[in-house]
């Protein structure tokens, strides 16, 4: 067996066995050991997957040695019926005979394993490029909407949190209307990014401590280390389970660090902060490029429970932690792998990914009065008892800017408004005599009694309610109001374009004439302002969408294509899927996977297997596993 393939497979098997061992022990330690320990114990598994240096006698190592020996014996041709030549007095040359036997025995296996090596390395390289692409695209997308925070009060609060955590590196601070939850980006030049709406000091302090803890723990490096494991062992389904467990443990560990110094009230406030920033949907979903405050609804319930049940660990628990750690380390050594020889140079590569654009799903807000918190779950995960014993609300948040009656109105709706301290609210009555309560943020309190502004809001909401808007509007919140003189619209549009003011630019863009809109499409595209482009594309007609799809392919602008694909008709999507498959354009084909049904993906997998397109097989197999 080829040395490299033998080492790779033995590491994959031994890593999977150690992973299963730790998961099997999880019921014993889950609610007793610290979350920090539960986070870092996975490093042992990571090293087992990556490091081939082991003792000579191990379970997996011995298995592969026996397999290799048996394979060689079986491959040597033995002809028992060949007659033994008579002794002529001349001894055969043993060196030549051994070389001939070895060549005969190893020729065919060598070809097979060389082929396997090239398949493995080619797919690993494709996946590596895919992941780098999404990382760069995400960072560019976020930077496009970033604005530096200049509020001295907020900056001082961040500085106090840095000092509390003994962080000497300067951490930058920005706000961004494109995100729903605070996040941290950057390996060596960290930057905290806040959603573009007002936050109380208490919530800000929790956000800062949480994200700074991620930075102090070097969680970004840990996440990329996991990705290296995933890429080297892309054929092993257990590495995806490892990735999921590490991501979950990362947030639990960070929460534990933050709440260690909080009292019960502080824990409850911290939990409220997590709930309030639960993400709905983002254009990009990429855990590699950032660490966010909330990763998703499926983890939030466990995190809230861990927060409220947090207790300092006793000496007995600490002792048991040490014992179990030594046991797992011993298991890692004993399970082992095939030891690498001095001449072997194992290489690990990592995979890339195209930005995932998951379809938005409705979720239900469940409020537990006993716990004092709420969480969001997909409807399919709810049982009857949950719905009967909880106050549930449909949560499907959207936010946008609109121009109406000489006002730019920034408005969001479907917020969970119960117990929130908004400045005020007013009930509006529409032409059809239906009613709706509209909430006002503190920044627009001066317009609460402004009849003209209220009239514009009424007209705007009524027009939106009577269109096929998704999601349906409930509980609207007015975030900002900007009076605009009609003659100033062209100049203000250009100003907002230059300043990349997404909300106001998109609001005024909708009232421009068609020719001017086309000019701005080109300006935004040529300037690579993907954030602006994503806010105005909904006004683009189908022919122009397809024109920019082709243009983005010529210019290799994958991030623009990712946005444009959301607005392609189904018939054209299928046509482009076929085109990218035939042209072996794996990057664009992968983006369009999000619009396929499971059955369609299975059909494409069968076709790729028949055509022996290994890179397409790998991507489709991975997609069907998720």
């Amino acid at each position: 067996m080829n040395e490299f393939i033998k080492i790779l497979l033995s590491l994959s098997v031994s890593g999977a066995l150690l992973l299963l061992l730790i998961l099997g022990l999880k019921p014993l330690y889950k609610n007793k050991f610290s979350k920090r320990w539960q986070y870092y114990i996975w490093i042992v598994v990571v090293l087992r997957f990556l490091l081939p240096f082991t003792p000579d006698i191990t379970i997996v190592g011995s298995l592969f040695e026996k397999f290799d020996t048996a394979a060689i014996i079986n491959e040597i041709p033995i002809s028992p019926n060949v007659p033994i030549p008579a002794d002529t007095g001349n001894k055969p040359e043993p060196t030549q005979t051994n070389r001939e036997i070895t060549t005969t025995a190893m020729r065919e296996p060598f070809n097979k394993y060389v082929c396997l090596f090239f398949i493995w390395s080619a797919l690993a390289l494709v996946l590596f490029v895919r992941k780098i692409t999404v990382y760069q695209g995400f960072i560019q997308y976020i930077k496009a909407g970033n604005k530096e925070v200049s509020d001295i009060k907020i900056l001082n609060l961040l500085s106090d949190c840095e000092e509390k955590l003994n962080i000497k590196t300067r951490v930058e601070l920005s706000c961004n209307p494109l995100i729903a939850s605070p996040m941290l980006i950057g390996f060596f030049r960290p930057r905290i990014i806040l959603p573009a709406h007002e936050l109380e000091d208490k919530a800000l302090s929790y956000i800062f401590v949480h994200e700074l803890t991620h930075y102090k723990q070097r969680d970004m490096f840990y996440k990329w280390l996991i990705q290296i494991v995933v890429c080297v062992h892309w054929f092993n389904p257990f590495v995806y389970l490892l990735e999921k467990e590490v991501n979950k443990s990362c947030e639990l560990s960070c929460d534990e660090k933050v709440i260690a110094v909080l009292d019960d009230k502080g824990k409850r406030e911290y939990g409220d902060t997590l709930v309030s920033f639960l993400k709905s949907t983002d254009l990009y979903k990429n855990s590699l490029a950032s660490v966010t405050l909330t990763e998703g609804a499926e983890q939030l319930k466990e995190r809230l429970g861990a927060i409220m049940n947090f207790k300092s660990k006793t000496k007995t628990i600490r002792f048991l932690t040490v014992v179990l750690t030594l046991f797992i380390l011993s298991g890692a050594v004993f399970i082992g792998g095939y030891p690498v020889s001095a001449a072997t140079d194992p290489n690990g590569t990592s995979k890339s990914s195209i930005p995932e654009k998951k379809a938005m799903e409705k979720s239900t807000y469940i409020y537990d009065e006993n716990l004092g918190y709420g969480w969001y779950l997909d409807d399919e995960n709810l049982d009857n008892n949950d719905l009967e014993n909880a106050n549930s609300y449909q949560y499907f948040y959207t936010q946008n800017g609109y121009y109406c009656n000489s006002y730019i109105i920034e408005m969001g709706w479907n917020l969970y408004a119960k117990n929130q301290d908004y400045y005020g609210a007013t009930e509006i009555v529409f032409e059809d005599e239906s009613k709706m309560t509209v909430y006002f943020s503190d920044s627009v309190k001066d317009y609460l009694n402004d009849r003209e502004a209220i009239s514009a809001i009424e007209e705007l909401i009524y027009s939106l309610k009577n269109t096929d808007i998704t999601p349906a509007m409930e509980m609207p919140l007015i975030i900002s109001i900007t009076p605009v003189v009609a003659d100033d619209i062209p100049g203000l549009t250009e100003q907002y374009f230059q300043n990349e003011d997404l909300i106001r630019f998109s609001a005024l863009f909708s009232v421009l004439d068609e020719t001017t809109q086309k000019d701005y499409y080109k300006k935004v595209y040529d300037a690579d302002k993907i954030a602006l482009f994503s806010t105005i594309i909904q006004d683009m007609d189908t022919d122009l969408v397809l024109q920019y799809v082709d243009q983005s392919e010529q210019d290799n602008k994958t991030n623009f294509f990712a946005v444009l694909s959301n607005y392609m008709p189904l018939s054209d999507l299928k046509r482009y899927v076929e085109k990218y498959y035939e042209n072996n354009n794996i990057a664009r084909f992968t983006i369009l996977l999000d619009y396929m049904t499971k059955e369609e993906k299975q059909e494409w997998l069968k076709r790729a297997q028949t055509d022996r397109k290994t890179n397409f097989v790998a991507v489709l197999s991975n997609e069907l596993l998720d």
Side-chain angles (χ1 to χ4, degrees):
M1 180 182 285
N2 179 272
E3 190 79 7
F4 180 85
I5 296 297
K6 184 164 49 176
I7 293 168
L8 180 65
L9 292 177
S10 70
L11 288 176
S12 199
V13 172
S14 58
L17 290 175
L18 185 60
L19 172 69
L20 292 175
L21 173 64
I22 296 178
L23 286 178
L25 295 171
K26 192 171 183 178
L28 301 178
Y29 64 72
K30 180 179 179 181
N31 297 320
K32 295 180 176 64
F33 289 10
S34 73
K35 303 302 181 184
R36 184 178 177 84
W37 180 88
Q38 295 181 46
Y39 178 39
Y40 287 109
I41 195 61
W42 294 113
I43 290 180
V44 181
V45 181
V46 171
L47 297 178
R48 182 65 280 155
F49 271 112
L50 294 179
L51 298 182
F53 301 101
T54 60
D56 291 335
I57 302 176
T58 62
I59 294 176
V60 175
S62 300
L63 176 65
F64 275 79
E65 284 283 5
K66 291 178 182 178
F67 177 77
D68 191 39
T69 303
I72 292 177
I73 291 174
N74 290 332
E75 287 164 1
I76 297 178
I78 300 176
S79 301
N81 297 324
V82 176
I84 302 174
D87 187 1
T88 60
N90 297 323
K91 295 182 179 179
E93 185 181 348
T95 304
Q96 182 66 31
T97 302
N98 289 340
R99 184 180 297 117
E100 289 173 354
I101 292 174
T102 302
T103 302
T104 303
M106 298 302 292
R107 183 181 293 116
E108 186 173 351
F110 173 80
N111 291 337
K112 288 181 179 178
Y113 291 111
V114 166
C115 181
L116 285 175
F117 172 78
F118 280 111
I119 291 174
W120 169 83
S121 58
L123 291 177
L125 182 61
V126 168
L127 297 174
F128 175 75
V129 174
R130 186 172 181 259
K131 226 172 249 305
I132 295 299
T133 299
V134 72
Y135 178 82
Q136 293 176 337
F138 180 87
I139 294 299
Q140 290 175 1
Y141 171 75
I142 290 298
K143 285 183 176 179
N146 274 356
K147 288 186 178 179
E148 295 289 337
V149 173
S150 57
D151 191 317
I152 298 299
K153 182 181 178 182
I154 297 177
L155 293 175
N156 287 338
L157 182 59
L158 173 60
S159 180
D160 291 341
C161 293
E162 291 174 357
E163 185 176 350
K164 185 188 302 182
L165 294 175
N166 196 28
I167 294 176
K168 306 299 183 183
T169 305
R170 182 188 176 192
V171 180
E172 304 291 340
L173 184 63
S174 303
C175 65
N176 194 319
L178 299 176
I179 64 172
S181 176
M183 64 174 60
L184 173 74
I185 63 172
F187 288 91
F188 302 103
R189 298 177 61 186
R191 177 180 294 274
I192 295 175
I193 305 174
L194 302 173
H197 55 80
E198 294 187 5
L199 299 169
E200 295 181 357
D201 289 352
K202 182 67 70 175
L204 279 172
S205 65
Y206 290 140
I207 292 167
F208 290 155
V209 172
H210 181 99
E211 301 302 342
L212 290 172
T213 299
H214 276 306
Y215 173 71
K216 190 172 183 180
Q217 293 182 164
R218 297 294 189 264
D219 289 334
M220 290 283 286
F221 292 93
Y222 196 170
K223 286 195 172 192
W224 273 98
L225 181 61
I226 296 299
Q227 293 310 309
I228 292 175
V229 175
V230 170
C231 297
V232 173
H233 300 277
W234 52 262
F235 52 86
N236 187 338
F238 289 102
V239 296
Y240 303 100
L241 180 59
L242 172 65
E243 180 183 24
K244 180 179 178 181
E245 290 293 326
V246 170
N247 286 338
K248 183 192 299 182
S249 300
C250 175
E251 293 305 324
L252 291 171
S253 170
C254 188
D255 290 339
E256 182 182 68
K257 185 75 173 178
V258 174
I259 67 174
V261 295
L262 299 179
D263 56 16
D264 289 343
K265 180 182 178 182
K267 295 174 186 177
R268 193 174 297 275
E269 291 174 343
Y270 178 67
D272 286 334
T273 302
L274 294 182
V275 170
S276 66
F277 282 107
L278 181 67
K279 297 185 293 185
S280 52
T281 55
D282 291 319
L283 181 59
Y284 289 93
K285 183 182 179 183
N286 175 39
S287 61
L288 293 180
S290 65
V291 235
T292 60
L293 186 70
T294 52
E295 287 288 348
E298 66 277 5
Q299 294 183 17
L300 187 57
K301 183 177 180 180
E302 181 179 357
R303 291 176 65 185
L304 295 175
I307 290 170
M308 297 310 297
N309 295 325
F310 171 78
K311 294 179 181 178
S312 298
K313 306 308 174 186
T314 63
K315 290 183 179 180
T316 302
I317 294 298
R318 293 193 187 111
F319 174 74
L320 292 176
T321 301
V322 173
V323 172
L324 185 57
T325 303
L326 293 175
F327 174 74
I328 291 173
L329 289 171
S330 301
V333 174
F334 186 64
I335 291 172
Y338 185 80
V340 61
S341 64
T344 304
D345 181 22
N347 297 311
T349 55
S350 55
K351 68 180 181 179
S352 66
S353 61
I354 300 302
E356 295 183 33
K357 305 179 304 307
K358 300 296 183 184
M360 295 195 297
E361 299 176 353
K362 283 192 176 182
S363 300
T364 301
Y365 184 90
I366 299 300
Y367 183 79
D368 189 326
E369 293 184 349
N370 295 322
L371 181 62
Y373 293 105
W375 59 90
Y376 298 93
L377 294 173
D378 294 341
D379 289 340
E380 63 186 12
N381 294 330
L382 299 175
D383 56 34
N384 291 332
N385 291 331
D386 288 328
L387 295 175
E388 289 175 2
N389 299 322
N391 299 320
S392 59
Y393 295 86
Q394 292 300 319
Y395 180 91
F396 203 1
Y397 177 69
T398 189
Q399 181 175 320
N400 225 325
Y402 304 90
Y403 177 80
C404 185
N405 290 355
S406 300
Y407 290 97
I408 296 175
I409 302 172
E410 182 180 358
M411 177 174 63
W413 60 87
N414 295 8
L415 291 165
Y416 177 65
K418 185 176 180 180
N419 297 328
Q420 297 294 327
D421 296 325
Y422 298 132
Y423 177 79
T426 186
E427 186 176 70
I428 58 177
V429 181
F430 302 112
E431 295 176 9
D432 58 2
E433 297 185 355
S434 60
K435 299 179 181 179
M436 179 177 289
T437 301
V438 179
Y439 295 85
F440 284 73
S441 67
D442 187 68
S443 62
V444 293
K445 60 185 179 182
D446 294 338
Y447 292 94
L448 191 56
N449 297 314
D450 188 318
R451 188 57 241 171
E452 290 185 1
I454 295 295
S455 178
I457 292 170
E458 290 176 353
E459 183 176 335
L460 171 62
I461 294 177
Y462 186 74
S463 65
L464 292 173
K465 275 173 55 66
N466 287 278
T467 58
D468 188 19
I469 190 169
T470 302
M473 181 179 293
E474 295 177 5
M475 303 181 69
L477 170 68
I478 307 303
I479 299 166
S480 71
I481 298 176
T482 306
V484 174
V485 177
D487 292 342
D488 294 340
I489 288 179
L492 286 174
T493 304
E494 180 64 23
Q495 177 184 326
Y496 295 146
F497 165 75
Q498 296 295 338
N499 296 337
E500 296 190 41
D501 189 326
L502 306 182
I503 296 295
R504 292 171 177 79
F505 176 75
S506 61
L508 294 184
F509 180 87
S510 63
V511 299
L512 298 175
D513 61 80
E514 185 177 348
T515 302
T516 307
Q517 286 185 342
K518 288 185 176 180
D519 290 341
Y520 270 111
Y521 283 134
K522 187 175 188 309
K523 287 177 65 175
V524 172
Y525 178 86
D526 291 342
D528 284 329
K529 297 189 177 185
I530 182 65
L532 285 179
F533 194 81
S534 64
T535 63
I536 60 176
I537 191 175
Q538 62 267 19
D539 295 308
M540 188 182 289
D541 62 63
T542 300
D543 290 340
L544 198 55
V545 167
L546 297 179
Q547 178 182 322
Y548 274 99
V549 166
D550 294 333
Q551 186 67 42
S552 67
E553 183 176 3
Q554 295 175 21
D555 299 335
N556 196 28
K557 292 187 176 183
T558 304
N559 51 353
F560 279 86
F561 175 74
V563 176
L564 286 158
S565 61
N566 286 289
Y567 298 89
M568 293 170 65
L570 183 60
S571 58
D572 290 299
L573 280 170
K574 292 182 178 180
R575 179 166 58 88
Y576 275 91
V577 168
E578 182 71 33
K579 171 186 174 182
Y580 296 140
Y581 179 82
E582 293 297 334
N583 294 342
N584 291 318
N585 192 331
I586 186 66
R588 298 206 165 212
F589 181 88
T590 305
I591 292 175
L592 298 183
L593 283 177
D594 288 328
Y595 306 101
M596 297 184 194
T597 63
K598 184 177 181 180
E599 290 73 21
E600 288 173 332
K601 293 174 185 176
Q602 289 171 338
E603 288 299 320
W604 276 108
L605 177 59
K606 292 178 183 177
R607 180 174 171 182
Q609 290 170 335
T610 302
D611 297 339
R612 296 186 178 182
K613 293 192 175 187
T614 53
N615 52 349
F616 285 87
V617 170
V619 170
L620 285 160
S621 300
N622 185 42
E623 187 75 18
L624 287 168
L625 280 174
D626 290 341

